[in-house]
Amino acid sequence: MSSDVPGFELPLRLLLAFRTLIDELHAELSKQGHPDIRPMHGFVMQAIGPGGTTAVELGRTLGVSKQAAGKTIDTLERIGYVERTTDPGDTRRKIVRLTPYGLDALNRSARIFDTLRTRWATELGEDRLRALESDLRKVTPANPWRLDMPGWFGSL
Amino acid sequence: MSSDVPGFELPLRLLLAFRTLIDELHAELSKQGHPDIRPMHGFVMQAIGPGGTTAVELGRTLGVSKQAAGKTIDTLERIGYVERTTDPGDTRRKIVRLTPYGLDALNRSARIFDTLRTRWATELGEDRLRALESDLRKVTPANPWRLDMPGWFGSL
DNA sequence: CACGATAGACAACCTGGTTAACCATATGGA
DNA sequence: TCCATATGGTTAACCAGGTTGTCTATCGTG
């Protein structure tokens, strides 16, 4: 049957695995000149992308309200990771762009994640890791950016 | 190499997979008479266990402050999932115990998780799922209850 | 050109964290 | 035995990151 694993273990392990990666990422980022970055900031910056975005658009991408997106942008702006510039073609819009510092954090994050992935590949075997990735893709939504976590990234 | 997967995908998929399970759990719990339960409550109740605990102890188990644990207990008490009784042997301590309603939620959660696991086993194949579980165990801490997520279960 | 739709900001509120301070009770050593 | 210290719990003030509702400014179209 299916219950030799007490129901709670699988979800817990998934969460823990995520946490493990994120914790190590931030320990490393901290060493590499980004001590103030918070776990979700990396995801938000990834969602902003190199081309920039707006608060409304970011909210849609992340599945949170435009106000929540605006607050997050405020924070990111305050600590120097993004900047707001007004769109010359539409003065209502404010384009949010990564600063060089923000871009640096994003690039370092990607490299660190690659390193961590390599470590997992060593621990599990490349084949097993690929299988794991493939299986995770099968059981999760196609568009990974539609996080829809008002409260995951947040309350819970 | 390792970068045919853009670094961010693995952590994201782990989080999404967790989310997927939790969302379906709560959709189902809601149908089964537990509409007010929040995602973390199940984990907290699991951490409380059938024998009961105290605020300080629960805080230690979950890796949050005793005050935070106390607040969570307040909430759980308010919605009827736990009750506080004073310890006759030490009048400072207040034993937190699951109510029958709380126990019911916990039991149903376990059953629903089992059902979801079975669905994954169908989608992925039992062998693949076992491999996934085994691999997750390899890359996560031994004690899954030491969540240490002040801010995961929480801010981020 | 007026009106509806859109972008952004602001306010009030909620949840689940944090520290700090405090009170009551246990407990162990002089 | 008594007092100092440690421990359990509560309260208060704060923070981050969500929510909804309201408001203003601007865009774009009939």
Side-chain angles (χ1 to χ4, degrees), chain B residues 45-58:
Chain B
M45 290 194 292
Q46 184 76 14
I48 290 172
T53 183
T54 68
V56 168
E57 199 180 314
L58 181 60

Side-chain angles (χ1 to χ4, degrees), chain A residues 1-23 25 38-43 46 106 109-110 113-115 117-118 120 123-124 126 128-156, chain B residues 1-23 25 38-43 46 106 109-110 113-115 117-118 120 123-124 126 128-156:
Chain A
M1 286 297 100
S2 65
S3 346
D4 53 332
V5 169
F8 282 90
E9 187 174 354
L10 179 55
L12 210 41
R13 293 283 178 195
L14 288 167
L15 180 57
L16 263 303
F18 171 69
R19 265 287 287 199
T20 300
L21 288 177
I22 295 295
D23 284 350
L25 169 72
R38 308 258 304 118
M40 77 163 314
H41 293 162
F43 289 94
Q46 184 76 14
L106 205 49
S109 296
F113 272 137
D114 278 348
T115 305
R117 189 195 175 282
T118 301
W120 281 21
E123 286 171 31
L124 304 176
E126 178 67 29
R128 289 291 285 261
L129 182 53
R130 280 183 193 280
L132 188 149
E133 286 166 343
S134 157
D135 288 344
L136 286 178
R137 256 176 247 125
K138 278 186 217 155
V139 294
T140 51
N143 173 7
W145 282 116
R146 192 86 186 76
L147 294 181
D148 254 327
M149 329 209 155
W152 273 105
F153 278 163
S155 68
L156 155 90
Chain B
M1 284 302 95
S2 65
S3 347
D4 55 330
V5 168
F8 282 89
E9 188 175 353
L10 179 54
L12 211 40
R13 293 283 178 196
L14 287 167
L15 181 57
L16 262 305
F18 171 69
R19 265 287 287 198
T20 301
L21 288 177
I22 294 295
D23 285 350
L25 169 72
R38 309 255 306 117
M40 78 163 312
H41 293 161
F43 289 94
Q46 184 76 14
L106 205 50
S109 296
F113 273 136
D114 277 349
T115 306
R117 189 195 175 282
T118 301
W120 280 22
E123 285 171 32
L124 303 176
E126 177 68 29
R128 290 290 285 259
L129 183 52
R130 279 181 195 281
L132 189 148
E133 287 167 342
S134 157
D135 289 344
L136 287 178
R137 256 175 248 125
K138 277 186 217 154
V139 295
T140 51
N143 174 7
W145 283 115
R146 192 84 185 79
L147 294 180
D148 253 327
M149 330 210 154
W152 272 105
F153 279 161
S155 69
L156 153 94

Side-chain angles (χ1 to χ4, degrees), chain B residues 53-138:
Chain B
T53 183
T54 68
V56 168
E57 199 180 314
L58 181 60
R60 270 197 257 277
T61 306
L62 296 176
V64 300
S65 65
K66 62 180 182 175
Q67 295 92 329
K71 280 194 198 178
T72 302
I73 293 169
D74 288 344
T75 310
L76 250 12
E77 193 176 32
R78 186 170 44 74
I79 60 180
Y81 286 92
V82 304
E83 57 193 0
R84 278 189 247 234
T85 62
T86 48
D87 181 341
D90 182 343
T91 61
R92 289 172 309 176
R93 304 178 79 222
K94 293 194 182 170
I95 312 291
V96 180
R97 278 204 188 73
L98 296 174
T99 62
Y101 185 50
L103 213 45
D104 178 69
L106 205 50
N107 291 334
R108 285 177 191 278
S109 296
R111 286 197 51 236
I112 294 165
F113 273 136
D114 277 349
T115 306
L116 293 172
R117 189 195 175 282
T118 301
R119 220 185 57 205
W120 280 22
T122 308
E123 285 171 32
L124 303 176
E126 177 68 29
D127 294 353
R128 290 290 285 259
L129 183 52
R130 279 181 195 281
L132 189 148
E133 287 167 342
S134 157
D135 289 344
L136 287 178
R137 256 175 248 125
K138 277 186 217 154

